[in-house]
Amino acid sequence: MSDELLAVENLAVRLPGPDGPVPVLNDVSLTVQRGQIVGIAGESGSGKSMTARTLLDLLPSGAEVSGTLRFDGAELDHRDRKAMHAVRGHGIAMVFQDPTAALHPMLSIGRQLTEHMRVHLGLTRTQAKARAIELLEQVRLPDPGRALRSYPHQFSGGQLQRIAIASALAARPKLLIADEPTTALDVTVQAGILALLDSLRSEFGLSVLFITHDLGVLASLATHTCVFQHGRVVESAPTARLLRSPGHPYTRALLAARAETAEVPR
Amino acid sequence: MTTVETSAPPARRPRVPPIVRYLARRLAIAVGLLFGSTLIGFLLVQAVPGDPVAANLSDEALGDPAAVAAFEQRWGLDEPLPVQYLTYLRNLVQGDLGTSQHTGRPVVEDLLDHIPATLEIALPAILLSVLLGIGIGMFAALRHGRAADQAVRIGSLLGLSTPPFWLSLLALYLFFFVLGLSPGGGRLSPEFSPPPSVTGLYPVDALLAGDPMLAWDAVQHAALPVLVLTLVTTATLVRFVRSALLEVLRKDYITAAHAKGLPPRTVLFRHLLRAGLVQIMTMAGLTFASMLAGTVLIESVFAWPGLGNYAYTSASALDRPAILGVTLFVAATYILINLVVDLLYGLADPRIRLS
Ligand SMILES: Nc1ncnc2c1ncn2[C@@H]1O[C@H](COP(=O)(O)OP(=O)(O)OP(=O)(O)O)[C@@H](O)[C@H]1O
Ligand SMILES: [Mg+2]
């Protein structure tokens, strides 16, 4: 078995607009190895989320997709609905930017953690509950038993993001896409979430596609980084090298922007 | 916090669950609203133009000052307004809404006669339109912007902009005169007499009395008014459900549910509908309340002896006690339905139930 988990080749996506299709991704290629964290960085609107959504076939209706997507040794074919349902959650899972919006306000945490486990892993109610408690312990949420009976509004943003990560891991995915999972959280909480993702990688061999607009976040986290601009990958390199000697002017601009904001005391 | 009472047992203050506190507050508001609506109703009825004396006495009696004075005294019209209002309130709390000037019967009895007739068409209509509204509204929302969605939007707009009165006439013309499928106006054919009253709903009472023929006749009579009422309210509900669900569909948690690989059916019913249901129930409740008040024209076309018809005749006769009775009943229904919807809200939404 090769070490390659995900390969995206020459991906192009066009979305329907009022005056015909609008290109949002052009010739995007990237790979993720097993047990690796790969970063995607880029300014707002550069196509980071669209890349993630394409992988899970969550694009708005009418989207035109071309290129090759390979996941876990097989081609990802959006037309094969059954296969896509199996990939979603079970092969590739996703964590969203705003944890307060990504959990259903009226469903209990327990239900939201277990429903897809039962679909994908065929667990009984009791087994699913036991696994949910285990997962909440893994993401270091205090009092998991009580949390299962609670609802999203009873938790803080950082706690909710831990719950969302637990939910993403519930059906044992091989790849976790984290779409700016810390942007909505404050800095101290952010560090905790990053440490959690890194420990999940080292302990369980989880692969992560980590999306951020902040290149600096990737420094200690991602082995490899792709920089997006206007729907294209403008630079792709091992993170350390990319940060040390950025090859593309846009990467340099991103780094410079970060240096400026970093000086502002928080 | 700092008071020390070592000897006394801990204060026995059972913690009131949030939901109970929420309900108590809603209930208090409802009582206040009910009281307010009696005052507003009373004042509005005073403002009704026209002279109730002239409207209710014959020309002969009008020429006779003694008869006029007797009429005024009987209805308390000679008292100052605040006194009239207090008298009205005192009677109201004893369940007495006064006597109708044009039927000569207690208004309460009149209402009890007419309300079941209206419910007989309003209950099936609201049930049907909620089911249709959710079904069609959801269908359109899921096909947002496509041909099917446009068709639903145009169709519901047509339904909304068609006057119910005209729709009633059209239905009567088509099903009675042209197709001969409908037995025409009224609640029963002349050869039948009403079943012994249990619920006041003829089809139900007829079945309870073991008379299926009678029940079938009653159902056939109710069919057309129910159809018209359903069409009108379905149009409203479809539009509401569609826009409510479109809003939910944009939420991250719906995308997240799809991303978890749940079957589409589960996302649709457990996640999408669940989030929109409370709003939809609110709208359905208000629609139902407005049905009770708004069937006047439909009832008059179908000669349906319901609340709308009673309101219409009372208004033409400037029958103040009757008008006020209908007004209060409708206000009370609105308040009650709002209360029920609030309760459902509280139960359905953990954010209210638990905090
Ligand atoms: N439904 C849509 N229809 C058409 N264009 C869209 C739609 N959604 C997003 N876009 C466009 O696609 C482009 C890429 O958006 P995307 O959400 O991937 O950006 P992003 O890199 O994730 O930005 P952010 O950091 O703000 O999340 C943007 O230019 C955006 O305007
Ligand atoms: Mg994004």
Side-chain angles (χ1 to χ4, degrees), chain A residues 53 56 58 61 85 88-89 92 96 101-107 111-112 115-116 119-120 151 153-154 167, chain B residues 146 252-253 255-256 258-264 266 270-272 274-275 278 348-351 353-355:
Chain A
R53 284 168 161 257
L56 284 169
L58 292 173
S61 68
H85 281 304
R88 285 179 179 174
I92 306 177
F96 292 79
L103 289 161
H104 198 297
M106 294 183 186
L107 298 178
R111 166 158 260 173
Q112 300 193 58
E115 53 185 353
H116 50 313
V119 169
H120 291 300
Y151 290 83
H153 73 278
Q154 295 167 305
S167 162
Chain B
R146 289 191 246 166
D252 275 359
Y253 57 78
T255 313
H258 284 298
K260 281 156 81 173
L262 297 175
T266 310
R270 193 182 293 165
H271 294 242
L272 178 66
R274 178 71 209 267
V278 176
D349 192 335
R351 285 165 295 188
R353 174 156 35 102
L354 302 173
S355 55

Side-chain angles (χ1 to χ4, degrees), chain A residues 90-109:
Chain A
H90 191 37
I92 306 177
M94 187 148 162
V95 175
F96 292 79
Q97 173 168 343
D98 181 359
T100 55
L103 289 161
H104 198 297
M106 294 183 186
L107 298 178
S108 71
I109 300 299

